[in-house]
Amino acid sequence: AEAKKIHDEIESLKYVDHANVAEKHRGLESRWGDLTSKSSSKRAALEADQKVQQEKEDLRIAFADKAKTYAKFVKDNTESAEETNFGLTLEAVQAYKGELDEQDATVLESSAAQVQALEDLQQKMEEREVYDNKYTTISIAAVRTSSKQLQQALEQRQANYSTELKRQLAMDAKKREFAAAAASFIEWCDSRKTSMHALEGEPEALITAIGDAYKDGQPEEDRLAEIESLLSEMSAMGITENRHTELNKPALRARADQLGQEVKNMVSKLNTELDLKTKYVNDTTELGSWIRETHAKREGTVAPKQVTSVRSVTRTKMVPQKKTVTVTESVAEKKTVTKVRKIPGVRKEMKTR
């Protein structure tokens, strides 16, 4: 434009060599046109190259951002899988299965989508011959490895769940076993008490029979030892509660001691009964001797050979001394069986001849 202005001024001045100036001006315009054309082409080429480079840069940045996000996603879910608590009871563990499967499906679906997005970016970068990325050290190979590690972590969690479920089932079975053993022990003690109360006989023989049946409580001790073994197994398995029973070791020990006390009470009552019967026999014997002696002194006759009870004495008829008739055959000679009155605490009537 400036050269054209100068050319026009020279032409307006009617310069003598105007034709030469015009020729030079045309040459300048021609060269300027060529330069402008080349400049435009170069600009276009540069702009096109810049666009390509920008696309490459955008791909690098996008890959770096998504790779970083995925790396955190894998880390968080891997740690979560390793730290998952399936529950403290069998019911809780069984109920957690549905939630666990849903979590795994969600995580795997999200993981697959993120990995696919990174694979697409990687393909685009390769198409544009982008093999470097200053924005991240994470490669597509590392992304694929992380994806496999995440899947393995979820698979391991499922394996851990199966192990925990088996453990809870075993613990529940052991709890049920203890509950059944505890209930059986209580029933055993009740049955033993009932059977010993059902024994019959005279005190001395009955005391022996009860002792033979009770056996110093050894049957209870043997059963408690088996239950103690169960409790040791439960402790080793980490069992601290049992919803299947309210019975525990102290309660079972108390029941065994209660049975022992019941036996002591039974024997004590029988000993008291035995003492009363022995005293009664001794007392009646002494009374009989006294009656014979007194009778002999008052009548001057021979006393009955045998007076076994107060009733037998009352049957002896006392007559005036001058007739001296004494009835003794009703007791001594006829050997009549007489019944003795009941004494509190005595189970059966004594029989004497």
Side-chain angles (χ1 to χ4, degrees), residues 99-332:
E99 182 180 347
L100 178 64
D101 291 343
E102 184 178 350
Q103 287 179 1
D104 285 357
T106 300
V107 171
L108 289 174
E109 182 180 359
S110 178
S111 175
Q114 292 183 67
V115 171
Q116 186 58 53
L118 287 164
E119 291 282 6
D120 293 342
L121 286 171
Q122 179 67 24
Q123 183 178 355
K124 290 179 180 179
M125 287 193 295
E126 290 176 358
E127 290 173 353
R128 289 162 177 74
E129 299 181 350
V130 178
Y131 302 109
D132 66 293
N133 194 340
K134 65 181 180 180
Y135 301 106
T136 183
T137 58
I138 302 174
S139 65
I140 191 64
V143 170
R144 293 165 184 161
T145 299
S146 294
S147 176
K148 291 180 181 179
Q149 290 174 344
L150 175 59
Q151 185 169 0
Q152 290 172 354
L154 296 181
E155 290 173 353
Q156 183 60 50
R157 178 166 65 174
Q158 287 285 355
N160 293 342
Y161 173 82
S162 297
T163 299
E164 178 62 17
L165 179 59
K166 290 179 181 178
R167 189 178 79 91
Q168 288 291 341
L169 287 170
M171 290 171 64
D172 190 71
K174 189 62 66 175
K175 291 176 185 179
R176 291 177 184 274
E177 183 180 355
F178 173 82
S184 176
F185 181 80
I186 297 298
E187 292 175 1
W188 161 266
C189 290
D190 291 342
S191 174
R192 293 257 286 161
K193 175 183 174 181
T194 301
S195 64
M196 283 186 279
H197 272 293
L199 294 173
E200 295 182 350
E202 289 301 314
E204 188 172 0
L206 194 53
I207 290 172
T208 300
I210 291 174
D212 292 342
Y214 183 57
K215 298 179 181 178
D216 292 329
Q218 191 57 46
E220 284 70 44
E221 294 302 322
D222 292 342
R223 286 179 172 247
L224 284 175
E226 294 176 0
I227 292 175
E228 179 66 30
S229 177
L230 272 178
L231 288 171
S232 297
E233 294 176 12
M234 292 170 67
S235 178
M237 295 173 72
I239 297 174
T240 58
E241 55 78 34
N242 192 345
R243 66 186 179 86
H244 299 298
T245 181
E246 295 181 356
L247 295 171
N248 52 28
K249 181 180 177 180
L252 298 179
R253 166 52 63 187
R255 186 64 187 87
D257 293 343
Q258 183 182 353
L259 177 62
Q261 188 60 50
E262 184 75 18
V263 171
K264 288 181 181 179
N265 293 341
M266 292 169 63
V267 172
S268 178
K269 289 180 180 179
L270 288 171
N271 278 321
T272 300
E273 181 179 340
L274 181 60
D275 291 342
L276 287 172
K277 285 188 173 182
T278 300
K279 185 176 184 303
Y280 177 78
V281 171
N282 292 337
D283 289 348
T284 53
T285 299
E286 292 178 3
L287 180 60
S289 297
W290 179 81
I291 291 174
R292 287 196 301 273
E293 293 174 2
T294 301
H295 186 277
K297 289 178 181 180
R298 294 185 63 183
E299 298 296 330
T301 61
V302 179
K305 293 181 180 180
Q306 181 179 6
V307 180
T308 59
S309 69
V310 176
R311 183 180 296 178
S312 66
V313 174
T314 61
R315 295 183 61 187
T316 304
K317 297 182 179 179
M318 305 298 291
V319 298
Q321 187 173 359
K322 60 182 180 180
K323 292 186 178 181
T324 62
V325 178
T326 304
V327 180
T328 59
E329 61 272 22
S330 62
V331 176

Side-chain angles (χ1 to χ4, degrees), residues 1-40:
E2 188 65 24
K4 178 71 169 61
K5 182 179 179 182
I6 295 172
H7 170 267
D8 291 343
E9 288 180 357
I10 292 174
E11 186 178 8
S12 65
L13 293 174
K14 305 297 183 178
Y15 182 63
V16 292
D17 199 8
H18 174 265
N20 186 34
V21 172
E23 182 62 29
K24 288 182 178 181
H25 177 256
R26 285 192 294 271
L28 285 172
E29 286 186 339
S30 177
R31 287 196 296 273
W32 177 255
D34 292 340
L35 181 60
T36 300
S37 177
K38 290 178 180 180
S39 175
S40 297

